[in-house]
Amino acid sequence: MSSLQDFIKWNEEKWESKNQQMYQGRSANRWPWFSEELDPDISDFLKVHGIHSAKILDLGTCSGSQAIALAKMGYQVVGSDISQTALAQAKNKTKTLPWQTQVEFVLDDVLDSRLAPAQFDLILDRGCFHSVCCISTKKYIANVLKLLKADGKVLLKTMSLQERRFSDYDIFAGQKIPMPYRFDDEILHNVFAEHFHIEKITDSYFYSSVIKPPAQAKLVVLSKKPDVSSQDKAVCETASI
């Protein structure tokens, strides 16, 4: 019987292989949800909430476009990913940035994170959760809670149940894994309401430099519940598939 760690290792190897295949012989990111620019609704969120200075984690940063765009706006940004190949693309882009740009790219898995706890004001997830939720939603939530400051927020963008394109499956231990998983408001409430305040769920898009029209998405704003911090350790200890 496969363990959670087997599942996590499989996922890491899978995405490294996919990125190697995509970047072989070219340097362009061709994932359908890739955008050279920061999504406009992410930019609007920062403006509306008056977030002018913050330390931000970009989960599943891939080639780093969103992280770099945020760093250019003056934020201190860490972009994490499980693919060395994707991170190499991101790091290469930093060579031409002004010296004062605060962006760092690190190899880290949100399902088994080694990053220091309680350091981020904002965690941006633009397409990571819907790729790992079938592996362990509990591990994802536990590590996001661990990494987020007490008054921090999560800005989560997932594929919408209304989007009919890009439907695929991966196979692990004979199981079909939807990739990416799709969400509606009810599913999102069921997943996150226990540990987070769900401040807002809106219809959105994965704005794209690759395809038109862009994929339909759900944009979710989450914040920790006041009593969650004291429960973080217990959540991490009990998290499983």
Side-chain angles (χ1 to χ4, degrees):
M1 182 176 178
S2 300
S3 68
L4 176 57
Q5 287 304 316
D6 292 332
F7 220 158
I8 291 173
K9 183 179 179 182
W10 165 82
N11 187 58
E12 292 172 349
E13 292 175 346
K14 177 194 73 175
W15 283 108
E16 174 61 14
S17 176
K18 287 188 175 187
N19 278 305
Q20 285 181 358
Q21 292 175 32
M22 182 178 67
Y23 286 114
Q24 188 173 17
R26 63 185 180 190
S27 60
N29 187 327
R30 302 302 297 171
W31 292 117
W33 35 85
F34 170 72
S35 176
E36 288 283 0
E37 299 179 353
L38 188 67
D39 283 1
D41 49 5
I42 295 174
S43 178
D44 290 345
F45 168 84
L46 295 169
K47 292 176 183 176
V48 167
H49 287 80
I51 303 174
H52 304 297
S53 176
K55 186 172 184 180
I56 300 175
L57 174 62
D58 180 24
L59 280 179
T61 192
C62 197
S63 57
S65 62
Q66 302 293 298
I68 289 172
L70 288 165
K72 286 180 176 179
M73 296 168 66
Y75 299 103
Q76 181 184 358
V77 186
V78 175
S80 67
D81 205 279
I82 58 176
S83 168
Q84 290 276 23
T85 296
L87 289 170
Q89 296 291 323
K91 291 175 181 178
N92 189 55
K93 292 179 181 179
T94 65
K95 295 177 180 178
T96 58
L97 295 176
W99 66 267
Q100 66 270 31
T101 307
Q102 298 183 77
V103 61
E104 177 186 8
F105 293 105
V106 297
L107 185 69
D108 191 69
D109 190 336
V110 68
L111 300 182
D112 192 24
S113 182
R114 297 294 185 264
L115 299 179
Q119 62 168 309
F120 295 105
D121 303 290
L122 175 67
I123 295 179
L124 170 64
D125 179 337
R126 186 185 181 274
C128 178
F129 177 65
H130 68 207
S131 297
V132 302
C133 60
C134 290
I135 299 174
S136 180
T137 294
K138 290 181 179 180
K139 277 285 190 183
Y140 176 92
I141 290 174
N143 280 296
V144 167
L145 288 172
K146 180 187 77 171
L147 297 171
L148 195 64
K149 291 182 179 178
D151 59 349
K153 294 184 184 294
V154 179
L155 192 57
L156 171 69
K157 185 170 283 193
T158 70
M159 194 71 74
S160 170
L161 196 59
Q162 296 178 354
E163 179 57 65
R164 300 305 180 188
R165 297 169 295 169
F166 321 113
S167 181
D168 201 359
Y169 293 89
D170 291 325
I171 305 295
F172 174 77
Q175 300 180 57
K176 295 178 72 174
I177 312 297
M179 194 61 58
Y181 200 85
R182 287 157 166 74
F183 293 87
D184 60 14
D185 292 21
E186 182 179 1
I187 298 172
L188 289 164
H189 274 281
N190 290 340
V191 170
F192 291 106
E194 181 179 355
H195 296 292
F196 294 93
H197 283 302
I198 301 175
E199 298 185 5
K200 194 174 185 181
I201 301 177
T202 55
D203 293 326
S204 181
Y205 296 96
F206 282 100
Y207 296 93
S208 175
S209 304
V210 179
I211 61 160
K212 291 183 180 179
Q216 296 181 76
K218 287 289 184 179
L219 184 66
V220 190
V221 181
L222 305 170
S223 58
K224 276 187 177 182
K225 291 185 175 180
D227 60 342
V228 158
S229 294
S230 62
Q231 301 173 11
D232 287 357
K233 184 177 180 181
V235 171
C236 290
E237 289 174 347
T238 59
S240 59
I241 292 177

